[in-house]
Amino acid sequence: MNSLSYKIGLGYFIIIILNISIAIFAVYHINQLSEPIDQILKENYRNIKSAEQMKEALTSQEMIQLTMVERGMDSSLVNNFRHHKTEFNNWHENAVNGISLPREPVILDSLKLLYSNYLQKSDSLQNFILCDMTYKESKSYHFIIILPLATEINLLCVQMKELNEQAIFNADNKARGISFQANALIGTFSVFAILFSIIAGIYFTQSIIRPVNKTTETVRKIRRGQFNQKIPITTNDEIAELGIEFNRMTDRLDKHIRDVSGLKKLDQMKSDFMSTISHEFKTPLTSINLTIDILLNQKAEQLSSQQKELLILAKEDCTRLTNFARELLELSKLESGTKPMHFEKINISDLIDFSMQPFKIMREQKSITINVKLNPVDIELKGDRNNLSRVISNMLDNAINHSKQGGRIDISASQENDNLRFSIADQGVGIPAQSIDLVFDKFIQVGSARKKGNIGLGLAICKEIISMHKGKIWVESELGKGSTFIFTIPFGL
């Protein structure tokens, strides 16, 4: 099979070969360019420096001898003269070791001979000064005998320096020539490689894009509802395999769409049923509840104790059904997005205090301690006060119901980046791990959460309210140690 990976691999192989060729060509010419540069740095520069240092040492010796002529002999002057003599000889030896030009040996031999003669004459001058030669005679001897030698030595040093500078100049010209030639050749070769890569890239790209464009056009038709579309198979590569699988997918998609349409209708029927039931329950339940109240309040003396007990039980059932209808209707509105939200600025501390008030007697009966921790203390956010209070009340009701006698509940609110993080933690029995993902589902009561009058809609309503605030709600629990219900809401609603 002439696969897509083969086509792409062939294109990459050609580009890699071109790049390797350019790299080898460039490395070869750079190596040629580095030869004169190495020569400049290692040989000629060392002898330029040696010539300068010998000249400097000789100048220092001349200054010392003039001082001797003017002031007379001094041991420090003699020591300094010898020190510079050592320096001159060391630099001369360094220059000999760095000989790289044909004329350098002649210059260095001449330097050695002249400097030896210079030292002999300098020793003679110093002896004359010690033997009380007059100032005029000493100065004349230096001027006539020693100074011409020093001048000649300086000239030879200058010659050696200029000779090496010329060599550097020549090497630099050679390097520039090689560089220009290399740049021209590499540039030409690179232009050819680029043109070839562009042509090859266009060819390979078109061979890949053409079937992809056909696939894209087919997808657009399917998006417009033409689910009977098929991708034409014109190649024998991965794109063709994709087309075959895509055609199979459209067949399955057409079938699933018909199934999904039926499920949507069923889900809508369920929502409509829940809403209708809730509405239909409210009116008769209100009437029944009112009738029971009239019987219990106005006809109590005509009823037997058994009749009263039955009426009280009936009223409790009516209340439970009324709460069920109310919660069912509210959940239906939340799910359909028809429940209005009134967003306003809320102080979290005030919201917690308001939500805790209905549970005062309940927590006192169980001797439960509630700790509230706010960070920072004055947290404010924009939200629906009544609905958020309902979420907190539901979480607090669960925490109190599942706490042991004398237990503790921790309420915490803090700012995390751009979100409010709110949590209520209890020390109750906890939730089994396999049930944690179910607690926010409708009509679900997990473990000890099952109790009379609880229909399992509270946490489902909480989840929908938090979703309306663009937040998240979840629970963390460990069996036997308690549960922590947490939600986060962005501040910038």
Side-chain angles (χ1 to χ4, degrees):
M1 181 178 69
N2 194 11
S3 68
L4 187 62
S5 58
Y6 171 79
K7 296 176 183 177
I8 296 173
L10 180 61
Y12 277 124
F13 177 75
I14 293 173
I15 293 172
I16 289 169
I17 292 298
L18 287 173
N19 287 333
I20 291 174
S21 301
I22 293 173
I24 292 172
F25 188 79
V27 168
Y28 170 75
H29 282 85
I30 289 170
N31 285 336
Q32 286 218 324
L33 183 65
S34 68
E35 291 177 3
I37 294 174
D38 289 342
Q39 183 180 3
I40 291 169
L41 294 177
K42 292 180 180 178
E43 298 173 354
N44 301 111
Y45 177 74
R46 181 168 65 175
N47 280 5
I48 288 173
K49 186 175 181 181
S50 297
E52 289 176 344
Q53 293 298 323
M54 284 189 289
K55 187 177 177 181
E56 186 178 330
L58 183 65
T59 301
S60 297
Q61 285 180 305
E62 279 297 285
M63 294 294 294
I64 292 169
Q65 289 202 102
L66 287 174
T67 304
M68 290 177 179
V69 170
E70 293 287 338
R71 300 179 185 176
M73 293 295 294
D74 184 278
S75 59
S76 61
L77 294 175
V78 174
N79 289 334
N80 283 338
F81 186 86
R82 290 173 181 171
H83 171 73
H84 290 299
K85 170 187 170 183
T86 303
E87 278 191 351
F88 187 96
N89 288 329
N90 288 340
W91 284 110
H92 183 273
E93 184 178 353
N94 189 61
V96 171
N97 293 331
I99 289 174
S100 62
L101 301 173
R103 289 179 55 195
E104 280 187 309
V106 177
I107 295 173
L108 289 170
D109 288 343
S110 298
L111 272 173
K112 184 175 182 181
L113 184 62
L114 284 171
Y115 188 66
S116 178
N117 192 15
Y118 172 81
L119 291 175
Q120 289 178 4
K121 302 302 180 183
S122 296
D123 288 341
S124 298
L125 175 62
Q126 292 173 23
N127 289 329
F128 290 153
I129 293 171
L130 288 173
C131 294
D132 296 327
M133 178 182 278
T134 64
Y135 168 75
K136 185 177 181 180
E137 290 174 337
S138 300
K139 190 170 184 180
S140 176
Y141 183 86
H142 178 269
F143 183 76
I144 296 171
I145 305 299
I146 297 176
L147 187 58
L149 290 172
T151 302
E152 196 171 352
I153 292 170
N154 273 328
L155 288 173
L156 287 173
C157 289
V158 170
Q159 267 187 357
M160 192 172 77
K161 179 182 176 183
E162 289 176 348
L163 182 67
N164 280 279
E165 286 176 344
Q166 184 62 41
I168 290 175
F169 179 76
N170 293 338
D172 182 61
N173 284 339
K174 181 181 177 182
R176 288 176 186 274
I178 295 174
S179 175
F180 177 79
Q181 182 184 9
N183 287 336
L185 291 172
I186 292 172
T188 303
F189 199 47
S190 297
V191 169
F192 169 76
I194 290 170
L195 290 174
F196 185 83
S197 298
I198 290 172
I199 295 170
I202 292 172
Y203 171 76
F204 287 121
T205 301
Q206 287 299 319
S207 67
I208 295 170
I209 288 179
R210 198 175 295 111
V212 172
N213 286 338
K214 291 180 181 178
T215 303
T216 303
E217 182 60 31
T218 304
V219 170
R220 287 180 181 147
K221 291 179 180 178
I222 292 173
R223 186 184 63 189
R224 292 193 290 265
Q226 302 175 27
F227 300 111
N228 59 346
Q229 295 295 312
K230 301 292 182 184
I231 295 176
I233 309 300
T234 58
T235 60
N236 188 26
D237 53 21
E238 288 85 353
I239 297 292
E241 291 182 3
L242 175 64
I244 293 170
E245 291 300 323
F246 189 87
N247 291 339
R248 291 173 181 168
M249 183 193 71
T250 56
D251 291 336
R252 293 193 298 270
L253 179 63
D254 191 34
K255 180 182 177 182
H256 288 327
I257 285 174
R258 290 194 294 268
D259 294 341
V260 168
S261 298
L263 290 174
K264 282 186 176 180
K265 290 179 182 177
L266 184 62
D267 190 56
Q268 184 62 42
M269 289 173 61
K270 183 189 71 173
S271 297
D272 293 342
F273 174 75
M274 289 171 58
S275 180
T276 303
I277 288 294
S278 302
H279 278 291
E280 293 299 325
F281 269 14
K282 286 181 68 176
T283 302
L285 284 173
T286 302
S287 300
I288 293 171
N289 206 17
L290 182 60
T291 302
I292 293 173
D293 284 338
I294 292 172
L295 289 173
L296 287 173
N297 295 328
Q298 298 181 11
K299 305 292 183 179
E301 68 279 357
Q302 301 176 18
L303 299 173
S304 66
S305 59
Q306 186 177 7
Q307 290 172 330
K308 287 182 180 180
E309 184 178 351
L310 289 172
L311 286 172
I312 292 171
L313 290 174
K315 181 174 177 58
E316 289 178 356
D317 288 337
C318 271
T319 302
R320 186 166 64 255
L321 285 172
T322 302
N323 292 335
F324 171 70
R326 185 177 64 251
E327 289 189 354
L328 199 59
L329 181 60
E330 184 172 3
L331 182 59
S332 177
K333 288 180 178 179
L334 285 167
E335 287 181 333
S336 63
T338 58
K339 182 176 176 62
M341 288 282 173
H342 304 287
F343 291 97
E344 58 182 318
K345 186 176 284 188
I346 304 171
N347 183 281
I348 296 301
S349 179
D350 295 342
L351 185 65
I352 294 172
D353 291 340
F354 176 77
S355 303
M356 287 174 57
Q357 287 176 5
F359 301 98
K360 183 178 179 181
I361 296 175
M362 197 172 166
R363 71 174 191 262
E364 286 177 353
Q365 288 175 345
K366 298 184 74 172
S367 301
I368 292 174
T369 302
I370 297 181
N371 297 323
V372 180
K373 182 180 179 182
L374 305 179
N375 183 27
V377 178
D378 56 344
I379 302 177
E380 290 186 345
L381 84 160
K382 197 173 181 182
D384 186 301
R385 182 185 301 273
N386 291 332
N387 281 299
L388 287 179
S389 176
R390 173 157 191 178
V391 173
I392 295 173
S393 297
N394 190 283
M395 292 166 65
L396 189 58
D397 182 50
N398 285 338
I400 293 173
N401 284 328
H402 298 107
S403 291
K404 300 173 183 178
Q405 189 75 22
R408 190 186 78 219
I409 295 173
D410 294 319
I411 301 176
S412 172
S414 62
Q415 182 174 346
E416 287 189 355
N417 298 324
D418 296 329
N419 295 321
L420 166 74
R421 178 186 171 92
F422 186 93
S423 66
I424 295 182
D426 62 58
Q427 298 175 332
V429 295
I431 301 171
Q434 66 272 19
S435 302
I436 287 179
D437 294 334
L438 304 175
V439 295
F440 294 100
D441 291 346
K442 290 177 284 190
F443 308 111
I444 294 296
Q445 299 180 59
V446 178
S448 61
R450 295 187 177 93
K451 64 174 185 175
K452 187 176 180 181
N454 191 340
I455 56 175
L457 288 178
L459 289 175
I461 292 173
C462 290
K463 182 180 178 181
E464 293 298 328
I465 291 173
I466 296 300
S467 294
M468 295 288 281
H469 286 77
K470 299 180 182 179
K472 297 178 181 178
I473 186 169
W474 69 95
V475 62
E476 297 173 357
S477 183
E478 188 174 349
L479 202 60
K481 294 187 177 181
S483 303
T484 302
F485 282 83
I486 307 161
F487 69 78
T488 58
I489 294 176
F491 285 104
L493 284 175

